[in-house]
mmCIF file of all heavy atoms in Angstrom:
data_model
loop_
_atom_site.group_PDB
_atom_site.id
_atom_site.type_symbol
_atom_site.label_atom_id
_atom_site.label_comp_id
_atom_site.label_asym_id
_atom_site.label_seq_id
_atom_site.Cartn_x
_atom_site.Cartn_y
_atom_site.Cartn_z
ATOM 1 N N LEU H 39 -1.145 -24.936 -13.563
ATOM 2 C CA LEU H 39 -1.910 -25.189 -12.330
ATOM 3 C C LEU H 39 -1.070 -24.986 -11.083
ATOM 4 O O LEU H 39 -1.521 -24.381 -10.053
ATOM 5 C CB LEU H 39 -2.447 -26.571 -12.310
ATOM 6 C CG LEU H 39 -3.644 -26.866 -13.248
ATOM 7 C CD1 LEU H 39 -4.029 -28.364 -13.211
ATOM 8 C CD2 LEU H 39 -4.834 -26.075 -12.719
ATOM 9 N N PHE H 40 0.162 -25.364 -11.117
ATOM 10 C CA PHE H 40 1.067 -25.157 -9.937
ATOM 11 C C PHE H 40 1.358 -23.658 -9.753
ATOM 12 O O PHE H 40 1.480 -23.149 -8.665
ATOM 13 C CB PHE H 40 2.377 -25.916 -10.198
ATOM 14 C CG PHE H 40 2.162 -27.398 -10.292
ATOM 15 C CD1 PHE H 40 2.187 -28.041 -11.504
ATOM 16 C CD2 PHE H 40 1.997 -28.172 -9.127
ATOM 17 C CE1 PHE H 40 1.987 -29.410 -11.628
ATOM 18 C CE2 PHE H 40 1.870 -29.527 -9.243
ATOM 19 C CZ PHE H 40 1.840 -30.173 -10.482
ATOM 20 N N LEU H 41 1.561 -22.909 -10.889
ATOM 21 C CA LEU H 41 1.783 -21.477 -10.832
ATOM 22 C C LEU H 41 0.629 -20.749 -10.316
ATOM 23 O O LEU H 41 0.705 -19.857 -9.564
ATOM 24 C CB LEU H 41 2.154 -20.979 -12.186
ATOM 25 C CG LEU H 41 3.478 -21.518 -12.721
ATOM 26 C CD1 LEU H 41 3.707 -21.001 -14.113
ATOM 27 C CD2 LEU H 41 4.675 -21.003 -11.855
ATOM 28 N N MET H 42 -0.644 -21.172 -10.640
ATOM 29 C CA MET H 42 -1.819 -20.553 -10.118
ATOM 30 C C MET H 42 -1.915 -20.830 -8.617
ATOM 31 O O MET H 42 -2.300 -19.882 -7.820
ATOM 32 C CB MET H 42 -3.086 -21.085 -10.829
ATOM 33 C CG MET H 42 -3.281 -20.494 -12.206
ATOM 34 S SD MET H 42 -3.551 -18.726 -12.189
ATOM 35 C CE MET H 42 -4.991 -18.609 -11.118
ATOM 36 N N ALA H 43 -1.579 -21.984 -8.177
ATOM 37 C CA ALA H 43 -1.629 -22.338 -6.746
ATOM 38 C C ALA H 43 -0.590 -21.536 -6.019
ATOM 39 O O ALA H 43 -0.868 -20.972 -4.954
ATOM 40 C CB ALA H 43 -1.409 -23.827 -6.496
ATOM 41 N N ALA H 44 0.600 -21.364 -6.576
ATOM 42 C CA ALA H 44 1.635 -20.495 -5.937
ATOM 43 C C ALA H 44 1.127 -19.099 -5.853
ATOM 44 O O ALA H 44 1.376 -18.418 -4.818
ATOM 45 C CB ALA H 44 2.910 -20.647 -6.714
ATOM 46 N N LEU H 45 0.476 -18.548 -6.874
ATOM 47 C CA LEU H 45 -0.013 -17.177 -6.835
ATOM 48 C C LEU H 45 -0.994 -17.003 -5.723
ATOM 49 O O LEU H 45 -0.919 -16.067 -4.944
ATOM 50 C CB LEU H 45 -0.708 -16.854 -8.226
ATOM 51 C CG LEU H 45 -1.422 -15.484 -8.246
ATOM 52 C CD1 LEU H 45 -0.356 -14.386 -8.112
ATOM 53 C CD2 LEU H 45 -2.116 -15.373 -9.546
ATOM 54 N N PHE H 46 -1.963 -17.892 -5.660
ATOM 55 C CA PHE H 46 -2.990 -17.812 -4.548
ATOM 56 C C PHE H 46 -2.302 -17.954 -3.208
ATOM 57 O O PHE H 46 -2.601 -17.078 -2.317
ATOM 58 C CB PHE H 46 -4.002 -18.875 -4.737
ATOM 59 C CG PHE H 46 -4.965 -18.982 -3.594
ATOM 60 C CD1 PHE H 46 -5.810 -17.973 -3.312
ATOM 61 C CD2 PHE H 46 -5.055 -20.131 -2.829
ATOM 62 C CE1 PHE H 46 -6.732 -18.005 -2.206
ATOM 63 C CE2 PHE H 46 -5.955 -20.252 -1.775
ATOM 64 C CZ PHE H 46 -6.788 -19.144 -1.477
ATOM 65 N N ILE H 47 -1.535 -18.904 -2.940
ATOM 66 C CA ILE H 47 -0.885 -19.122 -1.682
ATOM 67 C C ILE H 47 -0.004 -17.937 -1.292
ATOM 68 O O ILE H 47 -0.024 -17.440 -0.149
ATOM 69 C CB ILE H 47 -0.152 -20.368 -1.604
ATOM 70 C CG1 ILE H 47 -0.982 -21.598 -1.789
ATOM 71 C CG2 ILE H 47 0.664 -20.576 -0.386
ATOM 72 C CD1 ILE H 47 -0.335 -22.985 -1.946
ATOM 73 N N GLY H 48 0.765 -17.446 -2.284
ATOM 74 C CA GLY H 48 1.674 -16.360 -1.989
ATOM 75 C C GLY H 48 0.936 -15.071 -1.598
ATOM 76 O O GLY H 48 1.308 -14.360 -0.647
ATOM 77 N N VAL H 49 -0.166 -14.786 -2.348
ATOM 78 C CA VAL H 49 -0.881 -13.534 -2.099
ATOM 79 C C VAL H 49 -1.529 -13.647 -0.708
ATOM 80 O O VAL H 49 -1.588 -12.650 0.091
ATOM 81 C CB VAL H 49 -1.919 -13.257 -3.157
ATOM 82 C CG1 VAL H 49 -2.868 -12.148 -2.789
ATOM 83 C CG2 VAL H 49 -1.200 -12.906 -4.467
ATOM 84 N N THR H 50 -2.219 -14.760 -0.412
ATOM 85 C CA THR H 50 -2.900 -14.930 0.896
ATOM 86 C C THR H 50 -2.036 -14.929 2.054
ATOM 87 O O THR H 50 -2.405 -14.466 3.122
ATOM 88 C CB THR H 50 -3.826 -16.160 0.808
ATOM 89 O OG1 THR H 50 -3.033 -17.302 0.516
ATOM 90 C CG2 THR H 50 -4.934 -15.990 -0.121
ATOM 91 N N MET H 51 -0.776 -15.512 1.930
ATOM 92 C CA MET H 51 0.121 -15.516 3.007
ATOM 93 C C MET H 51 0.789 -14.208 3.206
ATOM 94 O O MET H 51 0.980 -13.681 4.356
ATOM 95 C CB MET H 51 1.165 -16.587 2.774
ATOM 96 C CG MET H 51 0.703 -18.032 2.908
ATOM 97 S SD MET H 51 2.030 -19.186 2.749
ATOM 98 C CE MET H 51 3.000 -18.838 4.212
ATOM 99 N N ALA H 52 1.184 -13.458 2.107
ATOM 100 C CA ALA H 52 1.816 -12.157 2.241
ATOM 101 C C ALA H 52 0.792 -11.046 2.616
ATOM 102 O O ALA H 52 1.115 -10.140 3.364
ATOM 103 C CB ALA H 52 2.540 -11.832 0.933
ATOM 104 N N PHE H 53 -0.408 -11.205 2.064
ATOM 105 C CA PHE H 53 -1.442 -10.145 2.263
ATOM 106 C C PHE H 53 -2.728 -10.785 2.749
ATOM 107 O O PHE H 53 -3.535 -11.171 1.868
ATOM 108 C CB PHE H 53 -1.649 -9.300 1.042
ATOM 109 C CG PHE H 53 -0.369 -8.895 0.337
ATOM 110 C CD1 PHE H 53 -0.032 -9.382 -0.901
ATOM 111 C CD2 PHE H 53 0.449 -8.037 0.949
ATOM 112 C CE1 PHE H 53 1.093 -8.994 -1.551
ATOM 113 C CE2 PHE H 53 1.615 -7.619 0.350
ATOM 114 C CZ PHE H 53 1.948 -8.067 -0.903
ATOM 115 N N PRO H 54 -2.958 -11.139 4.010
ATOM 116 C CA PRO H 54 -4.080 -11.913 4.460
ATOM 117 C C PRO H 54 -5.453 -11.175 4.075
ATOM 118 O O PRO H 54 -6.417 -11.863 3.912
ATOM 119 C CB PRO H 54 -3.905 -11.968 5.964
ATOM 120 C CG PRO H 54 -2.442 -11.755 6.199
ATOM 121 C CD PRO H 54 -1.971 -10.876 5.119
ATOM 122 N N ASN H 55 -5.382 -9.932 3.969
ATOM 123 C CA ASN H 55 -6.574 -9.176 3.689
ATOM 124 C C ASN H 55 -6.686 -8.873 2.151
ATOM 125 O O ASN H 55 -7.541 -8.073 1.814
ATOM 126 C CB ASN H 55 -6.663 -7.840 4.465
ATOM 127 C CG ASN H 55 -6.791 -8.059 5.927
ATOM 128 O OD1 ASN H 55 -7.452 -8.974 6.347
ATOM 129 N ND2 ASN H 55 -6.052 -7.269 6.741
ATOM 130 N N GLY H 56 -5.845 -9.575 1.330
ATOM 131 C CA GLY H 56 -6.016 -9.365 -0.094
ATOM 132 C C GLY H 56 -5.350 -8.100 -0.582
ATOM 133 O O GLY H 56 -4.644 -7.347 0.143
ATOM 134 N N LEU H 57 -5.564 -7.781 -1.868
ATOM 135 C CA LEU H 57 -4.930 -6.654 -2.455
ATOM 136 C C LEU H 57 -5.531 -5.278 -1.842
ATOM 137 O O LEU H 57 -4.784 -4.364 -1.722
ATOM 138 C CB LEU H 57 -5.230 -6.634 -3.956
ATOM 139 C CG LEU H 57 -4.628 -7.779 -4.770
ATOM 140 C CD1 LEU H 57 -5.094 -7.689 -6.235
ATOM 141 C CD2 LEU H 57 -3.106 -7.792 -4.652
ATOM 142 N N ALA H 58 -6.779 -5.332 -1.481
ATOM 143 C CA ALA H 58 -7.361 -4.140 -0.826
ATOM 144 C C ALA H 58 -6.685 -3.850 0.519
ATOM 145 O O ALA H 58 -6.503 -2.805 0.878
ATOM 146 C CB ALA H 58 -8.858 -4.347 -0.691
ATOM 147 N N GLY H 59 -6.360 -4.974 1.293
ATOM 148 C CA GLY H 59 -5.659 -4.839 2.494
ATOM 149 C C GLY H 59 -4.298 -4.242 2.350
ATOM 150 O O GLY H 59 -3.847 -3.484 3.138
ATOM 151 N N LEU H 60 -3.612 -4.623 1.227
ATOM 152 C CA LEU H 60 -2.351 -4.075 0.863
ATOM 153 C C LEU H 60 -2.373 -2.543 0.645
ATOM 154 O O LEU H 60 -1.569 -1.746 1.200
ATOM 155 C CB LEU H 60 -1.740 -4.721 -0.290
ATOM 156 C CG LEU H 60 -0.414 -4.228 -0.834
ATOM 157 C CD1 LEU H 60 0.711 -4.339 0.159
ATOM 158 C CD2 LEU H 60 -0.135 -4.883 -2.170
ATOM 159 N N VAL H 61 -3.384 -2.146 -0.031
ATOM 160 C CA VAL H 61 -3.622 -0.698 -0.289
ATOM 161 C C VAL H 61 -3.914 0.044 1.054
ATOM 162 O O VAL H 61 -3.357 1.104 1.289
ATOM 163 C CB VAL H 61 -4.819 -0.534 -1.284
ATOM 164 C CG1 VAL H 61 -5.138 0.947 -1.419
ATOM 165 C CG2 VAL H 61 -4.440 -1.102 -2.646
ATOM 166 N N ASP H 62 -4.734 -0.547 1.926
ATOM 167 C CA ASP H 62 -5.134 0.150 3.093
ATOM 168 C C ASP H 62 -3.890 0.239 4.145
ATOM 169 O O ASP H 62 -3.762 1.183 4.829
ATOM 170 C CB ASP H 62 -6.316 -0.540 3.790
ATOM 171 C CG ASP H 62 -7.573 -0.387 3.060
ATOM 172 O OD1 ASP H 62 -7.675 0.548 2.227
ATOM 173 O OD2 ASP H 62 -8.450 -1.309 3.121
ATOM 174 N N SER H 63 -3.050 -0.843 4.121
ATOM 175 C CA SER H 63 -2.004 -0.893 5.130
ATOM 176 C C SER H 63 -0.720 -0.232 4.741
ATOM 177 O O SER H 63 0.117 0.220 5.508
ATOM 178 C CB SER H 63 -1.716 -2.387 5.448
ATOM 179 O OG SER H 63 -1.262 -3.070 4.332
ATOM 180 N N HIS H 64 -0.473 -0.038 3.337
ATOM 181 C CA HIS H 64 0.790 0.465 2.894
ATOM 182 C C HIS H 64 0.600 1.719 2.013
ATOM 183 O O HIS H 64 1.214 2.761 2.284
ATOM 184 C CB HIS H 64 1.551 -0.581 2.117
ATOM 185 C CG HIS H 64 2.034 -1.759 2.925
ATOM 186 N ND1 HIS H 64 1.255 -2.736 3.347
ATOM 187 C CD2 HIS H 64 3.290 -1.970 3.426
ATOM 188 C CE1 HIS H 64 1.954 -3.581 4.061
ATOM 189 N NE2 HIS H 64 3.174 -3.183 4.113
ATOM 190 N N LEU H 65 -0.223 1.579 0.999
ATOM 191 C CA LEU H 65 -0.323 2.680 0.002
ATOM 192 C C LEU H 65 -0.978 3.923 0.587
ATOM 193 O O LEU H 65 -0.445 5.050 0.402
ATOM 194 C CB LEU H 65 -1.082 2.166 -1.228
ATOM 195 C CG LEU H 65 -1.133 3.176 -2.400
ATOM 196 C CD1 LEU H 65 0.248 3.584 -2.851
ATOM 197 C CD2 LEU H 65 -1.943 2.590 -3.524
ATOM 198 N N LYS H 66 -2.072 3.719 1.254
ATOM 199 C CA LYS H 66 -2.807 4.919 1.781
ATOM 200 C C LYS H 66 -2.046 5.674 2.859
ATOM 201 O O LYS H 66 -1.951 6.828 2.826
ATOM 202 C CB LYS H 66 -4.206 4.454 2.327
ATOM 203 C CG LYS H 66 -5.158 4.129 1.142
ATOM 204 C CD LYS H 66 -6.537 3.891 1.773
ATOM 205 C CE LYS H 66 -7.591 3.602 0.618
ATOM 206 N NZ LYS H 66 -8.980 3.248 1.085
ATOM 207 N N PRO H 67 -1.424 4.910 3.899
ATOM 208 C CA PRO H 67 -0.544 5.582 4.835
ATOM 209 C C PRO H 67 0.583 6.356 4.273
ATOM 210 O O PRO H 67 0.950 7.469 4.654
ATOM 211 C CB PRO H 67 -0.061 4.487 5.737
ATOM 212 C CG PRO H 67 -1.068 3.406 5.685
ATOM 213 C CD PRO H 67 -1.556 3.412 4.237
ATOM 214 N N TRP H 68 1.200 5.758 3.188
ATOM 215 C CA TRP H 68 2.336 6.482 2.466
ATOM 216 C C TRP H 68 1.817 7.781 1.799
ATOM 217 O O TRP H 68 2.459 8.769 1.885
ATOM 218 C CB TRP H 68 2.956 5.547 1.436
ATOM 219 C CG TRP H 68 3.935 6.248 0.573
ATOM 220 C CD1 TRP H 68 5.189 6.552 0.788
ATOM 221 C CD2 TRP H 68 3.651 6.713 -0.749
ATOM 222 N NE1 TRP H 68 5.733 7.225 -0.302
ATOM 223 C CE2 TRP H 68 4.849 7.327 -1.286
ATOM 224 C CE3 TRP H 68 2.511 6.760 -1.572
ATOM 225 C CZ2 TRP H 68 4.899 7.951 -2.526
ATOM 226 C CZ3 TRP H 68 2.613 7.370 -2.839
ATOM 227 C CH2 TRP H 68 3.806 7.908 -3.269
ATOM 228 N N TRP H 69 0.614 7.670 1.223
ATOM 229 C CA TRP H 69 0.074 8.823 0.503
ATOM 230 C C TRP H 69 -0.243 9.938 1.546
ATOM 231 O O TRP H 69 -0.162 11.083 1.310
ATOM 232 C CB TRP H 69 -1.139 8.441 -0.252
ATOM 233 C CG TRP H 69 -1.823 9.615 -1.004
ATOM 234 C CD1 TRP H 69 -2.936 10.203 -0.666
ATOM 235 C CD2 TRP H 69 -1.368 10.251 -2.134
ATOM 236 N NE1 TRP H 69 -3.283 11.186 -1.525
ATOM 237 C CE2 TRP H 69 -2.232 11.262 -2.438
ATOM 238 C CE3 TRP H 69 -0.222 10.098 -2.910
ATOM 239 C CZ2 TRP H 69 -2.061 12.069 -3.603
ATOM 240 C CZ3 TRP H 69 -0.017 10.932 -4.057
ATOM 241 C CH2 TRP H 69 -0.931 11.902 -4.308
ATOM 242 N N ARG H 70 -0.787 9.487 2.737
ATOM 243 C CA ARG H 70 -1.156 10.486 3.756
ATOM 244 C C ARG H 70 0.044 11.179 4.289
ATOM 245 O O ARG H 70 0.088 12.383 4.599
ATOM 246 C CB ARG H 70 -1.958 9.792 4.863
ATOM 247 C CG ARG H 70 -3.343 9.287 4.538
ATOM 248 C CD ARG H 70 -4.172 8.880 5.741
ATOM 249 N NE ARG H 70 -5.382 8.233 5.393
ATOM 250 C CZ ARG H 70 -5.504 6.897 5.415
ATOM 251 N NH1 ARG H 70 -4.521 6.181 5.758
ATOM 252 N NH2 ARG H 70 -6.691 6.362 5.060
ATOM 253 N N ARG H 71 1.207 10.431 4.551
ATOM 254 C CA ARG H 71 2.429 11.009 4.979
ATOM 255 C C ARG H 71 2.949 11.972 4.027
ATOM 256 O O ARG H 71 3.426 13.034 4.344
ATOM 257 C CB ARG H 71 3.426 9.893 5.263
ATOM 258 C CG ARG H 71 3.122 9.128 6.453
ATOM 259 C CD ARG H 71 4.328 8.304 6.866
ATOM 260 N NE ARG H 71 4.727 7.334 5.856
ATOM 261 C CZ ARG H 71 4.359 6.092 5.712
ATOM 262 N NH1 ARG H 71 3.508 5.577 6.621
ATOM 263 N NH2 ARG H 71 4.774 5.373 4.786
ATOM 264 N N ARG H 72 2.828 11.644 2.765
ATOM 265 C CA ARG H 72 3.406 12.567 1.661
ATOM 266 C C ARG H 72 2.561 13.841 1.667
ATOM 267 O O ARG H 72 3.124 14.930 1.534
ATOM 268 C CB ARG H 72 3.304 11.849 0.335
ATOM 269 C CG ARG H 72 3.950 12.601 -0.782
ATOM 270 C CD ARG H 72 3.941 11.843 -2.092
ATOM 271 N NE ARG H 72 4.455 12.597 -3.143
ATOM 272 C CZ ARG H 72 4.576 12.196 -4.415
ATOM 273 N NH1 ARG H 72 4.145 10.970 -4.676
ATOM 274 N NH2 ARG H 72 5.066 12.966 -5.411
ATOM 275 N N GLN H 73 1.181 13.695 1.772
ATOM 276 C CA GLN H 73 0.395 14.857 1.759
ATOM 277 C C GLN H 73 0.602 15.754 2.939
ATOM 278 O O GLN H 73 0.618 16.939 2.919
ATOM 279 C CB GLN H 73 -1.104 14.505 1.700
ATOM 280 C CG GLN H 73 -1.530 13.891 0.390
ATOM 281 C CD GLN H 73 -1.359 14.752 -0.775
ATOM 282 O OE1 GLN H 73 -0.491 14.728 -1.552
ATOM 283 N NE2 GLN H 73 -2.298 15.663 -0.977
ATOM 284 N N ALA H 74 0.889 15.120 4.095
ATOM 285 C CA ALA H 74 1.141 15.814 5.352
ATOM 286 C C ALA H 74 2.467 16.615 5.218
ATOM 287 O O ALA H 74 2.596 17.792 5.682
ATOM 288 C CB ALA H 74 1.222 14.941 6.557
ATOM 289 N N GLN H 75 3.495 16.005 4.673
ATOM 290 C CA GLN H 75 4.774 16.656 4.481
ATOM 291 C C GLN H 75 4.667 17.865 3.498
ATOM 292 O O GLN H 75 5.199 18.929 3.785
ATOM 293 C CB GLN H 75 5.755 15.671 3.907
ATOM 294 C CG GLN H 75 6.245 14.607 4.897
ATOM 295 C CD GLN H 75 7.144 13.614 4.276
ATOM 296 O OE1 GLN H 75 7.386 13.621 3.057
ATOM 297 N NE2 GLN H 75 7.583 12.635 5.012
ATOM 298 N N ARG H 76 3.886 17.700 2.483
ATOM 299 C CA ARG H 76 3.655 18.901 1.583
ATOM 300 C C ARG H 76 2.934 19.942 2.347
ATOM 301 O O ARG H 76 3.210 21.139 2.143
ATOM 302 C CB ARG H 76 2.853 18.401 0.406
ATOM 303 C CG ARG H 76 3.673 17.503 -0.657
ATOM 304 C CD ARG H 76 2.857 17.163 -1.826
ATOM 305 N NE ARG H 76 3.558 16.461 -2.853
ATOM 306 C CZ ARG H 76 3.067 15.995 -3.997
ATOM 307 N NH1 ARG H 76 1.817 16.258 -4.295
ATOM 308 N NH2 ARG H 76 3.839 15.308 -4.783
ATOM 309 N N ALA H 77 1.931 19.583 3.075
ATOM 310 C CA ALA H 77 1.188 20.635 3.815
ATOM 311 C C ALA H 77 2.074 21.343 4.782
ATOM 312 O O ALA H 77 1.990 22.567 4.943
ATOM 313 C CB ALA H 77 0.016 20.017 4.577
ATOM 314 N N GLN H 78 2.970 20.678 5.554
ATOM 315 C CA GLN H 78 3.870 21.243 6.420
ATOM 316 C C GLN H 78 4.858 22.175 5.690
ATOM 317 O O GLN H 78 5.205 23.324 6.187
ATOM 318 C CB GLN H 78 4.676 20.177 7.209
ATOM 319 C CG GLN H 78 3.886 19.401 8.168
ATOM 320 C CD GLN H 78 4.645 18.336 8.823
ATOM 321 O OE1 GLN H 78 5.789 18.105 8.517
ATOM 322 N NE2 GLN H 78 3.996 17.653 9.732
ATOM 323 N N GLN H 79 5.355 21.822 4.534
ATOM 324 C CA GLN H 79 6.220 22.676 3.736
ATOM 325 C C GLN H 79 5.565 23.940 3.304
ATOM 326 O O GLN H 79 6.112 25.004 3.379
ATOM 327 C CB GLN H 79 6.808 21.898 2.562
ATOM 328 C CG GLN H 79 7.732 20.754 2.959
ATOM 329 C CD GLN H 79 8.208 19.980 1.762
ATOM 330 O OE1 GLN H 79 7.734 20.228 0.558
ATOM 331 N NE2 GLN H 79 9.035 18.950 1.914
ATOM 332 N N LYS H 80 4.339 23.803 2.883
ATOM 333 C CA LYS H 80 3.526 24.973 2.465
ATOM 334 C C LYS H 80 3.304 25.952 3.628
ATOM 335 O O LYS H 80 3.386 27.177 3.536
ATOM 336 C CB LYS H 80 2.248 24.611 1.819
ATOM 337 C CG LYS H 80 2.409 23.921 0.454
ATOM 338 C CD LYS H 80 1.054 23.516 -0.140
ATOM 339 C CE LYS H 80 1.243 22.902 -1.486
ATOM 340 N NZ LYS H 80 -0.084 22.549 -2.094
ATOM 341 N N ALA H 81 2.971 25.320 4.782
ATOM 342 C CA ALA H 81 2.757 26.088 6.003
ATOM 343 C C ALA H 81 3.971 26.869 6.421
ATOM 344 O O ALA H 81 3.943 28.046 6.856
ATOM 345 C CB ALA H 81 2.209 25.261 7.191
ATOM 346 N N ALA H 82 5.168 26.217 6.322
ATOM 347 C CA ALA H 82 6.370 26.765 6.733
ATOM 348 C C ALA H 82 6.732 27.988 5.783
ATOM 349 O O ALA H 82 7.207 29.068 6.261
ATOM 350 C CB ALA H 82 7.521 25.794 6.739
ATOM 351 N N LEU H 83 6.569 27.782 4.470
ATOM 352 C CA LEU H 83 6.775 28.881 3.547
ATOM 353 C C LEU H 83 5.878 30.043 3.799
ATOM 354 O O LEU H 83 6.231 31.194 3.661
ATOM 355 C CB LEU H 83 6.678 28.364 2.144
ATOM 356 C CG LEU H 83 7.795 27.419 1.653
ATOM 357 C CD1 LEU H 83 7.450 26.851 0.277
ATOM 358 C CD2 LEU H 83 9.161 28.072 1.661
#
């Protein structure tokens, strides 16, 4: 029960918008930057 409470408190404090907010704020921007870098390299070549 204490571990479940720690899981909930930790997730909500670290990611106020939940797991979906983590994906929107970190994973998707990283993926867009990577795709942009690949596009720039292809354009330069």
Side-chain angles (χ1 to χ4, degrees):
L39 282 175
F40 299 99
L41 294 174
M42 282 299 300
L45 172 66
F46 170 63
I47 294 172
V49 170
T50 52
M51 290 186 64
F53 316 113
N55 295 322
L57 298 177
L60 174 65
V61 172
D62 292 336
S63 62
H64 291 79
L65 185 59
K66 287 184 178 180
W68 170 81
W69 179 255
R70 292 192 189 100
R71 289 194 299 269
R72 185 176 179 182
Q73 292 297 102
Q75 290 174 358
R76 288 183 176 180
Q78 291 176 358
Q79 292 175 356
K80 290 181 180 179
L83 289 175

